[in-house]
Amino acid sequence: MLLLVCYQVQHAIAQISKIDQRVDSVLKRMTLEEKIGQMNQYNGDWAATGPITKDGDKQNQIRKGMVGSMLNVTGVNHTRTLQEIAMQSRMKIPLLFGQDVIHGYRTTFPIPLAEAASWDIEAIERSARIAAVEVAAAGIHWTFAPMVDISRDPRWGRVMEGAGEDPYLGSIIAKARVKGFQGKGFGNTDAVMACVKHFVAYGAAVGGRDYNSVDMSLRTLYELYLPPFKAAFDAGAATFMNSFNDLNGIPATGNSFLQRDILKNKWKFTGFIVSDWGSVGEMVNHGYAKDNAHAAMLAANAGSDMDMESRSYIKHLAQQVKEGKVKMSVIDDAVRRILKKKFEMGLFDDPFKFCNEAREKEQWNNAAHLLAARDMAKKSIVLLKNESPLGRGAGVGLLPISKQTKTIAVVGPFAKAVKDHLGFWSYDWADDTARIKTLWGGIQKKLSADSKMIYAKGCGITDTSKAGFSEAVNAAMNADVVVVTVGEERAMSGEAKSRSSIQLPGVQEELIKALVATGKPVVVLISAGRPLIFNWTADHVPAILYTWWLGTEAGDAIADVLFGDYNPSGKLPMSFPRTEGQIPVYYNYYNTGRPAKTENDLNYVSAYIDLPNSPKFPFGYGLSYTRFDYGQLQLNKTTLKGNEQLNVSVTVTNSGQYAGEEVVQLYIRDMVGSVVRPVKELKGFKKIMLQAGESKTISFSITTNDLRFYNDQLKFDWEAGEFEIMVGTDSRDVKTKTISWTK
Ligand code: BGC
């Protein structure tokens, strides 16, 4: 075994140095213009995710070796056409094709925030793997994912692309996604390069307004925003993308501290960094560069290796080199990084390696992928509430609905919706209308032959008219159960989709009120790309499922949960605020010098006079159709020293009627620190399956590694003292024990 490992390591080293030699031999023969060409990326004009600068001359430029990469060129046909042109260039350097594959390609998976709610790391990795398989078969080498930006602000539309508010959960998910995309490694035709984005702190934009500035302490940067990037780097991510925001006054794209000092020098990242769309040129708007030539100089010197669509490099970088403003070594380093990835992907050996029509066709409607998407979708759903409706015994929730129910009213704008289930950053295939599983269809498949369904739209997502309410109320009056489905439309969360109000849009909550007024049991499904505010619904409706945007299989997955074929197990990856005025609200806050003792404490404490401090639904929260009871925490010791290990165990019992999964969460609080520490920090979790009546003892082991934090000198270390160890079903409901740990 050891011999085999040694051989593999030696082989890998030999491969790397062989690639380095090949890169050098190419680099040596390139002109300055050709080198800068490698640092230039264009959009393919077939689709666009930003303002396109059209000059109609892209193909000529490819032929002249002035383009290193294209984005938004998909399909074997298109990529082959452009690669053939690249092969006519003097150096015959293959193009890299990049694409935003954020939650699936042909098969749309749940949005990343929804997947994060599953806390099912294997399923998340599988989702990324399948996306890679599908898109690699369509000629793509590189996905602009995972997006690993931590965010505490649901007004920011891009929370839908990430894993929520927590750096620990975010790091584990970042790693899983990188592994999923990159598969067994480059050289395989089903592995695509990951691009970790957006480096960095983009999710902390002031006011939750996209592209806005970010100002934060370095400690916060290190402790909250960098960890998922570091985890993705450790998992071997091939590339990084910088971000639109400035951080403490310096645009990320021109930020040498971030790109050179941290990423390339400290972490020793050997891949390349691509700018975000146009972000090199945007440094002029920031007021950081006086023109695009200046921007090109600043970005290249700061370590941005490739310019996405701003054309600053291709137009100005050569001149900057000639004037001595950018050293040749900076250019060589960037080009070396880019070429190296092209070699690793095997593109120099076969530029058409990813262009295989048969493989592309095979992945077009892949049944196994759809199955995985359905599995991921049902695991992403979060049960927020399940109370006893009229006529059912105490403690018996309204859900799941019986398949024998005589009449179900299916109401609301999502009842028969198709594309709105896909969410932002999804592909609009011509045959989607037939492929996407509607909620209506999903419910229909579950009900017995004697059951009846009544449809009423009630209102559109953003409608202000209540004209459809009476039809909806009639439907409810004639039904035994009402399922009403509301939310955000596809383009309401995502890039450039910040909202100052995150209430349910239009008159949707009014519709819910009208339906509840009928006295019929009402189940509300909320499909959205972010945490929304729906206080009336939360307080008056007996059963609520948060169904996010779940992708191609949405309708069937929701029906699986509604009728109990799957017992919901999702847990919120972000706190849900009570009002916008409470934002940012997050679980890992500091206690302050005047903490409120209760939700109503207003005695000169840190509180709002008109609102409790707690969120409406806390981080980590999510119910099940069954009940999980937690026993007391068992610790192997309560006083520890140095390298000792703390073992924490707890017995969890499924004391309800259904088999189900539970996410057992471990939090730690460092009671006194040389800098103040959060009231709790997630440090571990386990997703377990328990049959009805079954108990399991779950254990976590903790070492001083888990106690480390950045002190005011930015040193990452732990400090002796007292710690609260908490285990529970969410960040609010935990069992606690205190220990002390000395050096
Ligand atoms: C987004 C990136 C994306 C890029 C290319 C930008 O506007 O911020 O996340 O990868 O466009 O589509």
Side-chain angles (χ1 to χ4, degrees):
M1 183 63 189
L2 190 63
L3 269 181
L4 180 69
V5 172
C6 286
Y7 169 77
Q8 283 171 339
V9 171
Q10 270 173 1
H11 181 72
I13 294 171
Q15 283 299 106
I16 292 168
S17 65
K18 208 158 113 200
I19 285 182
D20 285 340
Q21 284 166 15
R22 292 180 76 185
V23 168
D24 280 340
S25 84
V26 174
L27 197 64
K28 243 189 273 166
R29 288 179 286 129
M30 291 171 78
T31 63
L32 174 61
E33 283 68 24
E34 283 166 339
K35 288 178 183 174
I36 291 168
Q38 287 304 303
M39 299 167 72
N40 182 33
Q41 185 189 54
Y42 284 147
N43 183 61
D45 291 350
W46 281 287
T49 47
I52 309 178
T53 42
K54 273 202 175 142
D55 67 4
D57 191 34
K58 288 174 186 166
Q59 301 199 2
N60 271 337
Q61 294 190 36
I62 295 174
R63 199 169 284 114
K64 288 189 204 148
M66 290 165 71
V67 185
S69 171
M70 298 290 294
L71 76 146
N72 289 329
V73 179
T74 48
V76 165
N77 258 344
H78 288 152
T79 53
R80 184 193 294 281
T81 305
L82 292 192
Q83 198 68 295
E84 277 167 357
I85 298 174
M87 288 304 107
Q88 295 164 21
S89 66
R90 189 183 77 90
M91 290 299 296
K92 298 191 178 10
I93 299 176
L95 288 168
L96 266 182
F97 293 102
Q99 186 78 20
D100 291 283
V101 184
I102 309 296
H103 53 115
Y105 179 62
R106 170 65 180 166
T107 310
T108 307
F109 277 74
I111 56 166
L113 186 63
E115 291 193 353
S118 74
W119 298 54
D120 187 327
I121 305 306
E122 266 173 44
I124 292 173
E125 184 177 331
R126 194 178 320 123
S127 159
R129 182 87 287 277
I130 289 172
V133 167
E134 289 186 358
V135 82
I140 300 298
H141 313 130
W142 181 22
T143 174
F144 303 127
M147 187 276 221
V148 304
D149 296 314
I150 295 297
S151 185
R152 294 169 158 180
D153 197 329
R155 292 170 300 181
W156 190 51
R158 301 197 79 167
V159 295
M160 58 136 308
E161 285 175 63
E165 76 186 36
D166 183 62
Y168 178 85
L169 180 62
S171 297
I172 291 181
I173 291 177
K175 195 169 153 190
R177 290 197 165 125
V178 169
K179 277 171 67 188
F181 289 132
Q182 298 192 165
K184 293 218 170 72
F186 306 135
N188 292 300
T189 46
D190 66 0
V192 295
M193 299 196 300
C195 182
V196 192
K197 67 189 190 184
H198 306 83
F199 201 65
V200 58
Y202 184 35
V206 171
R209 203 182 73 206
D210 206 3
Y211 315 126
N212 209 355
S213 292
V214 177
D215 202 292
M216 68 168 58
S217 74
L218 286 184
R219 246 178 34 71
T220 301
L221 179 72
Y222 276 76
E223 197 160 293
L224 289 172
Y225 291 84
L226 281 176
F229 287 92
K230 180 63 165 52
F233 161 77
D234 288 338
T239 70
F240 271 56
M241 183 186 292
N242 58 36
S243 55
F244 291 122
N245 57 286
D246 71 271
L247 176 67
N248 303 335
I250 300 182
T253 307
N255 201 315
S256 169
F257 166 67
L258 296 176
Q259 301 180 104
R260 291 217 183 271
D261 298 356
I262 296 184
L263 185 53
K264 291 182 174 174
N265 296 336
K266 191 159 179 237
W267 296 359
K268 310 221 176 310
F269 171 65
T270 58
F272 69 88
I273 305 175
V274 63
S275 80
D276 204 347
W277 182 300
S279 69
V280 176
E282 285 170 18
M283 291 201 291
V284 176
N285 289 339
H286 276 286
Y288 189 66
K290 69 174 187 299
D291 52 27
N292 278 38
H294 187 205
M297 186 264 276
L298 290 168
N301 283 339
S304 294
D305 302 306
M306 188 182 276
D307 172 5
M308 181 192 285
E309 264 295 346
S310 99
R311 300 178 178 219
S312 307
Y313 283 7
I314 199 67
K315 286 192 181 147
H316 306 289
L317 205 48
Q319 188 59 29
Q320 299 294 306
V321 174
K322 283 170 196 155
E323 289 174 16
K325 292 178 181 155
V326 175
K327 288 197 185 118
M328 198 60 192
S329 58
V330 166
I331 304 292
D332 283 347
D333 175 59
V335 178
R336 202 175 263 121
R337 288 166 182 271
I338 295 164
L339 293 180
K340 198 167 169 188
K341 291 299 158 206
K342 294 187 176 183
F343 272 108
E344 284 173 17
M345 293 295 286
L347 295 175
F348 274 95
D349 300 319
D350 178 4
F352 302 100
K353 197 170 169 180
F354 286 66
C355 296
N356 179 322
E357 278 82 2
R359 195 160 58 225
E360 183 175 40
K361 223 166 153 192
E362 239 170 65
Q363 300 307 338
W364 204 239
N365 275 325
N366 185 314
H369 294 180
L370 289 170
L371 218 62
R374 180 167 175 173
D375 180 66
M376 188 74 254
K378 61 195 190 191
K379 287 175 170 162
S380 304
I381 295 171
V382 184
L383 178 64
L384 294 180
K385 196 173 172 189
N386 193 20
E387 288 183 354
S388 164
L390 298 175
R392 287 180 86 166
V396 182
L398 171 55
L399 292 172
I401 302 171
S402 158
K403 292 177 184 171
Q404 262 59 45
T405 306
K406 282 216 179 75
T407 310
I408 299 193
V410 187
V411 179
F414 285 83
K416 290 191 174 177
V418 182
K419 293 190 178 173
D420 275 319
H421 287 298
L422 298 185
F424 204 85
W425 291 118
S426 54
Y427 292 86
D428 207 348
W429 304 115
D431 58 347
D432 261 355
T433 320
R435 289 186 328 126
I436 296 167
K437 306 289 170 32
T438 64
L439 179 67
W440 179 263
I443 294 181
Q444 211 165 29
K445 281 179 245 168
K446 297 285 181 192
L447 285 174
S448 74
D450 307 332
S451 305
K452 202 174 128 199
M453 291 166 68
I454 316 175
Y455 168 71
K457 187 168 177 187
C459 63
I461 296 170
T462 53
D463 281 358
T464 47
S465 158
K466 298 182 185 173
F469 279 23
S470 59
E471 190 197 3
V473 165
N474 271 340
M477 297 293 277
N478 290 309
D480 302 300
V481 178
V482 185
V483 174
V484 50
T485 163
V486 295
E488 287 185 306
E489 61 190 28
R490 195 177 180 186
M492 285 184 113
S493 289
E495 184 177 350
K497 303 291 179 283
S498 294
R499 293 178 63 196
S500 63
S501 159
I502 55 167
Q503 313 279 330
L504 280 168
V507 290
Q508 294 181 100
E509 198 154 39
E510 297 299 311
L511 174 67
I512 296 170
K513 286 182 191 171
L515 295 167
V516 169
T518 63
K520 296 289 175 143
V522 173
V523 179
V524 169
L525 310 178
I526 302 176
S527 297
R530 53 153 68 82
L532 291 178
I533 296 170
F534 43 91
N535 289 328
W536 190 93
T537 301
D539 295 340
H540 296 90
V541 171
I544 305 170
L545 287 165
Y546 214 75
T547 50
W548 314 98
W549 288 328
L550 293 175
T552 314
E553 293 290 305
D556 283 357
I558 296 171
D560 284 339
V561 170
L562 276 177
F563 293 93
D565 289 336
Y566 182 75
N567 185 355
S569 64
K571 301 273 188 177
L572 299 177
M574 271 187 96
S575 309
F576 275 44
R578 292 173 188 272
T579 71
E580 291 87 354
Q582 210 184 19
I583 297 170
V585 58
Y586 46 90
Y587 85 94
N588 45 357
Y589 56 88
Y590 295 148
N591 204 35
T592 80
R594 293 189 174 193
K597 289 192 188 64
T598 64
E599 291 280 51
N600 306 319
D601 185 3
L602 289 178
N603 192 17
Y604 288 89
V605 293
S606 178
Y608 296 105
I609 58 172
D610 54 357
L611 201 70
N613 279 352
S614 63
K616 190 76 183 167
F617 298 104
F619 174 81
Y621 173 84
L623 303 173
S624 163
Y625 293 154
T626 194
R627 214 183 69 220
F628 297 108
D629 291 330
Y630 282 67
Q632 287 310 315
L633 301 193
Q634 306 293 330
L635 308 181
N636 63 333
K637 307 174 174 236
T638 50
T639 356
L640 293 99
K641 198 168 165 30
N643 287 337
E644 285 179 355
Q645 182 173 301
L646 173 67
N647 295 328
V648 184
S649 55
V650 63
T651 300
V652 184
T653 303
N654 178 348
S655 40
Q657 317 258 321
Y658 300 87
E661 291 153 289
E662 165 71 334
V663 181
V664 182
Q665 301 163 38
L666 167 76
Y667 296 88
I668 298 183
R669 177 176 181 182
D670 187 341
M671 300 306 289
V672 179
S674 61
V675 291
V676 292
R677 306 301 307 140
V679 295
K680 49 181 71 117
E681 294 175 278
L682 184 70
K683 292 290 181 180
F685 63 88
K686 286 189 179 162
K687 189 160 187 172
I688 56 163
M689 174 75 192
L690 288 178
Q691 299 304 318
E694 192 186 0
S695 294
K696 266 188 192 156
T697 300
I698 308 305
S699 304
F700 296 95
S701 41
I702 298 168
T703 67
T704 52
N705 264 342
D706 302 301
L707 309 179
R708 296 201 288 173
F709 61 90
Y710 289 94
N711 68 16
D712 67 340
Q713 303 301 311
L714 295 181
K715 194 168 165 239
F716 192 53
D717 205 355
W718 68 285
E719 294 173 0
E722 289 210 326
F723 300 86
E724 274 179 3
I725 308 295
M726 295 161 267
V727 180
T729 186
D730 60 50
S731 63
R732 188 168 54 194
D733 184 3
V734 291
K735 303 272 182 190
T736 306
K737 280 218 165 140
T738 304
I739 58 145
S740 67
W741 211 314
T742 57
K743 286 265 173 179

